Amino acid sequence: MKQTLAILGILAAPLLGNTQDKNFDLSKYKFPDYKRHELELYFNSNGSSDSYYSVIPATGNYDGTKYDSSRSNFNSNLRLAYNFKYLSRKQIENHTLSFSGDINYLKNKNEEEITKEFQPQLHLSAVGYKRTYLTEDRYFIEGIYETYVDATSKKITYTHLDANDDLKSNSFRLSAGVGAGIGRIEQVGDLFQGYYMLEKLQQQNSLSRESRAEDIFEFARQISKLKNKRFFDYRLRRIEELQALDSILHSQNLIEHSDISYFATLNDYWSYGSFWERKSGRELKINLSPEVSRSYSHSESYSESPIKTNLVSKILFDCSKQLNLNWERNIHINLINTTLLAKNGDVPDSYPGNLIGTNTSFGYGFFPDSRTRLQFSGKYSGYESLYYEGENVTKNWMNNFSLNFEANYFISPQLQITGNFSGNYWFSEHNSSHGHNTNFNLGFRYAIF
């Protein structure tokens, strides 16, 4: 825990900085009323490799064990997701429904033992919240909910034994609760897209005068309203959007003469511009959520269905700061406490009544142009993990450090290529456990509307 507190202190230090290399003040920008529906299809493929080492010391009636293993993993995933967002100065809503399926292949080697796993999975989730501000942009209360349903079938091949094992499982988790907090994080992605467009038009001398902060703010608000309209005919949508943008710029007296270079730039930065979700502001909140979870596992040798009822308490802090047109800084800190309220007979009597954990992250986003985003982040998670010895369950503190690099590039307004690479190192004093892994991911995202 001392390590955790030290890391929290280090990550909190950057909050003291308040520089902003920009010719307008983001604190004066108020996002307009916002209602947006998004439906997207996502496919990705990823893989990882890791190693693990642990020594369980000998006791009076136990000879002790040493684990020294390596593992490689490959996964492909297909996901369909619907997201609804509504933002006003008084209320904020966000609801996401997603369905996904993936296929996982795993090869594990420990000493002379080699196992191979083939595992198809299905996932369904519904997550959301509704927030009401008691005072504008300051104090708020909210209702939250989370629902997860998973189904898995696993086939394990033991190469060294020339044997197979089949395992089927499913799980269900439902939670709903309330929260309260202070602060507001503003959506400023549309603001920066408008800023990109006006800056480029000014560089090529298409503007009749120099744009001011109020011009950028008003142009961004109109962009946000324009994006809320739904079209299924792509050509009609593009024609109406470009006509509206041209009309807005003329009404602001920023454009007097429309030539081919002006329209070419307008189309390029609108059709292929950066749609990244950029945020600005700070938020501190507390959530309390009763939670019910059930899991079912079945194989030839056993069958069990543990059910638990928990009370999950969270303290969360988020801070996003736009340093300038190209750089942003993000900080996230949370503390989670899970208290066991009730359980059925399939949950061991020694199962802990309380589990705690924390997650912190600190990172930068870099936007070299209107189509590209690069992200760099460092993360720490510490939590009480469970260790099973027959019917006895003990808990120990686990530490996990990770570095992550992610790149995104828009090929077209609807098609996006994504990729990331990350490395993790984790350790615990329990049984001298430690290990590391590396991960890669390559995916394509297609926005249906």
Side-chain angles (χ1 to χ4, degrees):
M1 288 299 294
K2 292 181 179 179
Q3 292 173 322
T4 303
L5 294 175
I7 292 170
L8 291 176
I10 293 173
L11 292 177
L15 295 176
L16 299 176
N18 197 40
T19 59
Q20 184 166 288
D21 180 18
K22 209 185 295 84
N23 62 357
F24 56 83
D25 185 0
L26 270 180
S27 64
K28 297 179 180 179
Y29 177 70
K30 303 296 184 182
F31 202 90
D33 288 357
Y34 172 111
K35 183 181 292 186
R36 197 162 295 172
H37 302 266
E38 296 174 348
L39 180 64
E40 68 177 35
L41 181 66
Y42 180 79
F43 172 78
N44 80 307
S45 178
N46 62 75
S48 66
S49 64
D50 59 75
S51 65
Y52 171 78
Y53 178 83
S54 180
V55 176
I56 301 177
T59 62
N61 55 2
Y62 179 64
D63 294 334
T65 305
K66 182 181 78 171
Y67 293 96
D68 189 0
S69 64
S70 62
R71 183 175 63 173
S72 58
N73 176 61
F74 300 96
N75 178 273
S76 293
N77 175 269
L78 181 67
R79 178 175 181 262
L80 179 66
Y82 168 75
N83 181 250
F84 170 74
K85 295 179 181 179
Y86 170 72
L87 291 90
S88 67
R89 307 318 304 176
K90 185 68 175 179
Q91 288 188 335
I92 297 178
E93 287 188 55
N94 195 331
H95 307 278
T96 301
L97 175 66
S98 70
F99 174 79
S100 64
D102 60 89
I103 297 176
N104 187 64
Y105 174 78
L106 173 69
K107 181 179 180 180
N108 191 29
K109 181 179 180 181
N110 180 36
E111 300 295 337
E112 300 301 323
E113 300 178 357
I114 300 177
T115 60
K116 298 178 181 179
E117 298 181 9
F118 177 74
Q119 183 175 2
Q121 296 176 313
L122 294 175
H123 313 277
L124 177 66
S125 68
V127 180
Y129 68 88
K130 182 175 182 179
R131 173 180 302 175
T132 300
Y133 276 87
L134 305 177
T135 57
E136 184 177 357
D137 301 340
R138 192 161 176 82
Y139 298 104
F140 63 84
I141 57 174
E142 64 180 10
I144 54 177
Y145 68 90
E146 295 182 358
T147 304
Y148 300 94
V149 180
D150 299 281
T152 303
S153 177
K154 181 189 293 186
K155 181 177 182 179
I156 306 175
T157 301
Y158 303 93
T159 304
H160 58 291
L161 298 177
D162 192 24
N164 296 321
D165 193 9
D166 292 315
L167 174 66
K168 298 185 183 297
S169 64
N170 58 68
S171 64
F172 171 80
R173 180 162 64 90
L174 171 65
S175 67
V178 295
I182 181 174
R184 184 176 182 124
I185 295 180
E186 204 77 41
Q187 304 285 336
V188 294
D190 294 345
L191 172 64
F192 277 91
Q193 186 179 5
Y195 190 29
Y196 266 115
M197 296 172 71
L198 291 179
E199 182 188 53
K200 184 62 178 179
L201 291 171
Q202 189 161 301
Q203 288 176 356
Q204 66 184 38
N205 298 318
S206 292
L207 298 185
S208 58
R209 62 176 177 83
E210 185 174 348
S211 61
R212 299 183 293 268
E214 53 268 29
D215 297 319
I216 299 172
F217 291 164
E218 180 59 27
F219 188 49
R221 292 188 187 98
Q222 296 301 322
I223 286 177
S224 299
K225 294 177 181 179
L226 189 58
K227 286 184 178 181
N228 289 341
K229 295 184 179 181
R230 297 269 68 82
F231 297 85
F232 284 97
D233 188 314
Y234 179 76
R235 294 175 301 168
L236 294 179
R237 171 180 180 172
R238 186 59 66 238
I239 292 171
E240 183 167 332
E241 287 175 338
L242 292 175
Q243 286 178 338
L245 291 172
D246 180 60
S247 176
I248 294 167
L249 292 172
H250 275 89
S251 67
Q252 292 181 289
N253 296 318
L254 289 170
I255 294 293
E256 291 181 355
H257 305 289
S258 303
D259 55 21
I260 188 63
S261 62
Y262 158 71
F263 277 111
T265 299
L266 197 66
N267 178 64
D268 181 54
Y269 275 76
W270 180 255
S271 302
Y272 301 94
S274 175
F275 297 94
W276 319 113
E277 186 179 67
R278 298 179 70 168
K279 302 177 181 179
S280 177
R282 303 180 185 185
E283 186 178 280
L284 175 66
K285 65 179 180 180
I286 299 174
N287 286 341
L288 294 175
S289 302
E291 174 187 270
V292 177
S293 65
R294 172 195 175 274
S295 60
Y296 171 77
S297 299
H298 172 76
S299 70
E300 294 181 359
S301 58
Y302 78 97
S303 178
E304 63 177 8
S305 181
I307 301 175
K308 298 190 295 289
T309 302
N310 299 313
L311 178 63
V312 181
S313 309
K314 297 181 182 180
I315 301 176
L316 305 98
F317 174 76
D318 286 282
C319 176
S320 296
K321 188 172 184 61
Q322 302 302 318
L323 303 177
N324 53 40
L325 181 65
N326 302 108
W327 287 94
E328 70 176 8
R329 183 183 65 207
N330 297 296
I331 297 172
H332 172 79
I333 302 173
N334 70 40
L335 300 172
I336 304 172
N337 179 78
T338 302
T339 302
L340 181 64
L341 302 179
K343 59 184 178 65
N344 70 349
D346 284 348
V347 180
D349 293 336
S350 57
Y351 192 91
N354 203 72
L355 294 170
I356 60 174
T358 180
N359 293 279
T360 64
S361 65
F362 174 71
Y364 286 90
F366 177 54
F367 307 84
D369 55 48
S370 63
R371 299 191 190 188
T372 309
R373 176 180 66 175
L374 305 177
Q375 288 188 306
F376 317 86
S377 63
K379 298 180 181 180
Y380 167 78
S381 63
Y383 55 92
E384 291 181 316
S385 63
L386 301 181
Y387 181 72
Y388 289 82
E389 289 182 300
E391 293 296 322
N392 295 321
V393 182
T394 59
K395 59 182 181 180
N396 60 89
W397 188 258
M398 183 66 70
N399 301 279
N400 189 314
F401 296 89
S402 66
L403 295 174
N404 183 73
F405 168 76
E406 182 175 347
N408 304 83
Y409 182 75
F410 265 104
I411 299 174
S412 73
Q414 293 173 292
L415 183 60
Q416 175 187 355
I417 184 172
T418 65
N420 66 55
F421 180 83
S422 65
N424 297 270
Y425 175 74
W426 50 267
F427 68 92
S428 173
E429 295 181 358
H430 182 74
N431 295 331
S432 303
S433 299
H434 63 85
H436 70 274
N437 63 55
T438 57
N439 300 273
F440 76 89
N441 178 76
L442 179 65
F444 291 90
R445 171 185 176 271
Y446 185 77
I448 297 174
F449 62 79

